Amino acid sequence: RGAAKAVPVVAEPTEEELAAMREQLGRGAGDEDEDDESMDASDADTDSEGAGEEEAVARARAAAAAIASSRQPAGASGAAVATDGIEAAMRELDMDNYDNSDDEAGVMTRVLGGRGEVAFDEDGDPYVTLGEDDDDSEQEDFILKDTDFILLAARNEDDVSNLEVWVYEEVDENGQANIYVHHDLVLPAFPLCVAWMDCDPRGTVDRSNMVAIGTLEPGIEIWDLDVVDSVEPVACLGGEDRSAEAEAGPSEGGAGDKKKKKKKAKSKQKRKALLPGSHSDAVLGLSWNREYRNVLASASADKTVKVWDVAQRKCEHTLTHHSGKVQAVAWNPAESPVLLTGAFDKTACLVDVRSPSSAPARWSLSADVEAMCWHPTAPTNFLVSSEDGIVAAFDARMGAGSAPLFRLAAHDAATCAMSLSAAAPGLLATGSTDKKVKLWDISNNTPTLLATQDLQIGAVFSAVFCSE
């Protein structure tokens, strides 16, 4: 709250982007001849369909006449009556010229049974409210207030990935709250994790409104949330080295090389050139350091944890203490250099990044790690949730491998989301693929279930308390 600009900037295409679009349009113009040929074929099909429709109308009229004649009394000319009725209705509707009519007022007149012109009096009619109110409402929703809460939701639908920026307005004097999507960002890959941050990698301002996004790709994208309609991130940590691909250019070879190219197509795709220090697989978890604001930690399916300098856009440390995919990372709220990590090797580890080569403290778990968090009011305690639905709490002061403070069978399926409230000490929220969200009181390390609810939204992958 209070981090976003009051009036976000609407992105405008650069000259380079406009030139690229013009070039693409120029290439598309070369295909017009093929399109014309296909249109001619389509017109021919339409003509044949039109003839078929006329035959269908004739058959329908004959059928209607036959039905009408069967219902007329003996001696009455039922066929003539039915045919005359259909003819009159068709003339009244003027269906032959339906597609050619642009006279909307005339259509309205016929529908309403009138014979004159139809006019709208916007000033005199109290029920006509066009323009001003709608425009004012949209403009008001576009402006962000210091009291507005900003929520981020990464989603994928129909193979289109985006990040939605939601605005939540607290209850007003009328007792009403409001929540709506302010704008969204189209993402190039399936999103897996997000982390808000106020460090601008461009170095143009002291504090900004940024988000780091981890996807199925090895790069970490950083987007400016104060820019609407943006088409690319302001920076990318790691990922593909596009400059290397451009320098390599298309390879030359004769017909004899085609078979080799086909056989090695998949392997070449997997061996794309990456930037120095980049992850080599999907980014599964992110954590921004609030004390050292230029520091970001990332967890990856390549079994490594990386510590990034966002301002320099480079990897400072690569940690390889896990033997499985690393699912989650979390900086300690009191000791900023201490990092908690959890992986699919069924372990949780504590690392001091000031001495990254030192052996980490390690705790064994009952299943693969799903989520983890530090206790906001007891910063030496941390919680870890796992694939079997168990939530375990540990005290780092008791040393590596120590017994948990408690083990809680929170859900019947994987506990994918977990958050502790800073405003209400001991209040824990958990979410699971069993489609339920639960609230717990874990005061004195004796968990008690307070509430459970199926929100009717499917599996729950994220649940976070507001930090205020």
Side-chain angles (χ1 to χ4, degrees):
R1 183 163 69 173
K5 285 184 178 180
V7 181
V9 178
V10 179
E12 297 291 343
T14 63
E15 291 297 329
E16 291 79 4
E17 292 170 344
L18 290 173
M21 286 188 284
R22 293 192 192 99
E23 182 180 355
Q24 187 175 4
L25 290 173
R27 285 198 220 99
D31 299 332
E32 288 183 356
D33 294 338
E34 297 180 4
D35 293 340
D36 291 340
E37 293 178 2
S38 62
M39 287 296 293
D40 292 340
S42 176
D43 291 342
D45 294 340
T46 303
D47 293 340
S48 62
E49 290 176 2
E53 290 179 359
E54 292 179 359
E55 295 178 1
V57 171
R59 288 195 299 270
R61 288 178 175 174
I67 294 172
S69 63
S70 66
R71 295 179 177 175
Q72 293 294 327
S77 56
V81 171
T83 304
D84 291 342
I86 293 175
E87 294 288 351
M90 295 295 289
R91 284 195 300 272
E92 179 69 20
L93 294 174
D94 193 18
M95 295 301 292
D96 293 336
N97 298 319
Y98 178 79
D99 292 333
N100 300 327
S101 176
D102 294 327
D103 184 8
E104 296 182 1
V107 173
M108 289 295 296
T109 302
R110 291 197 298 274
V111 171
L112 296 175
R115 291 293 182 266
E117 297 295 329
V118 175
F120 298 99
D121 182 7
E122 297 183 14
D123 297 328
D125 192 337
Y127 297 101
V128 178
T129 56
L130 301 176
E132 296 183 1
D133 292 342
D134 293 338
D135 293 341
D136 292 343
S137 177
E138 291 181 3
Q139 185 176 5
E140 182 180 356
D141 289 342
F142 189 74
I143 297 175
L144 298 175
K145 304 174 184 177
D146 290 339
T147 56
D148 290 340
F149 288 94
I150 307 300
L151 310 176
L152 302 178
R155 62 188 301 236
N156 179 278
E157 185 174 0
D158 297 332
D159 294 331
V160 176
S161 300
N162 56 6
L163 179 76
E164 294 179 339
V165 181
W166 289 72
V167 174
Y168 173 68
E169 299 172 341
E170 290 188 286
V171 177
D172 57 18
E173 60 275 7
N174 298 323
Q176 294 181 342
N178 187 27
I179 186 170
Y180 61 93
V181 177
H182 186 274
H183 66 278
D184 64 351
L185 304 171
V186 178
L187 304 177
F190 193 101
L192 298 175
C193 55
V194 299
W196 183 87
M197 55 194 298
D198 69 7
C199 178
D200 191 338
R202 298 167 294 189
T204 54
V205 295
D206 182 35
R207 294 181 184 271
S208 56
N209 186 21
M210 297 283 172
V211 62
I213 303 176
T215 68
L216 287 175
E217 298 296 328
I220 302 167
E221 296 181 342
I222 300 177
W223 293 77
D224 190 342
L225 296 175
D226 287 334
V227 179
V228 179
D229 297 335
S230 180
V231 296
E232 61 181 2
V234 299
C236 189
L237 306 178
E240 293 183 31
D241 187 354
R242 302 189 184 280
S243 61
E245 293 180 2
E247 291 176 2
S251 59
E252 296 181 0
D257 296 334
K258 291 183 179 180
K259 291 183 179 180
K260 294 181 180 179
K261 290 180 180 178
K262 290 180 180 179
K263 291 179 180 179
K264 297 181 179 180
K266 292 184 179 180
S267 60
K268 285 184 178 180
Q269 290 178 357
K270 293 181 180 178
R271 293 197 299 267
K272 290 181 179 179
L274 298 175
L275 292 170
S278 173
H279 282 296
S280 59
D281 207 334
V283 179
L284 306 180
L286 293 170
S287 180
W288 173 60
N289 196 310
R290 292 182 175 272
E291 181 69 22
Y292 300 99
R293 296 172 34 249
N294 64 316
V295 176
L296 180 74
S298 60
S300 173
D302 64 7
K303 305 179 183 179
T304 68
V305 174
K306 289 183 179 289
V307 179
W308 301 86
D309 185 336
V310 175
Q312 299 296 325
R313 307 186 190 186
K314 68 176 183 179
C315 175
E316 292 290 344
H317 305 293
T318 298
L319 309 177
T320 58
H321 54 273
H322 283 293
S323 59
K325 297 179 180 180
V326 187
Q327 174 73 4
V329 286
W331 293 104
N332 186 279
E335 294 292 334
S336 300
V338 176
L339 181 65
L340 178 65
T341 67
F344 285 2
D345 57 6
K346 301 181 181 180
T347 64
C349 296
L350 273 186
V351 182
D352 190 332
V353 298
R354 291 171 295 190
S355 55
S357 59
S358 301
R362 191 182 301 269
W363 286 263
S364 297
L365 304 168
S366 58
D368 294 341
V369 172
E370 288 290 338
M372 50 179 38
C373 66
W374 289 96
H375 200 300
T377 58
T380 61
N381 294 0
F382 62 90
L383 279 71
V384 183
S385 67
S386 52
E387 190 179 20
D388 57 2
I390 299 295
V391 173
F394 298 90
D395 188 342
R397 295 173 299 181
M398 298 173 64
S402 58
L405 300 176
F406 66 81
R407 293 181 78 255
L408 168 66
H411 293 272
D412 296 330
T415 301
C416 302
M418 186 172 53
S419 179
L420 277 164
S421 173
L427 181 60
L428 172 68
T430 59
S432 169
T433 53
D434 66 5
K435 306 178 183 180
K436 295 178 182 179
V437 174
K438 295 183 180 182
L439 294 178
W440 307 83
D441 181 2
I442 61 169
S443 301
N444 301 319
N445 296 321
T446 54
T448 303
L449 180 62
L450 300 178
T452 180
Q453 186 171 357
D454 185 344
L455 300 177
Q456 305 297 322
I457 58 174
V460 179
F461 296 106
S462 179
V464 182
F465 278 112
C466 177
S467 59
E468 297 185 16

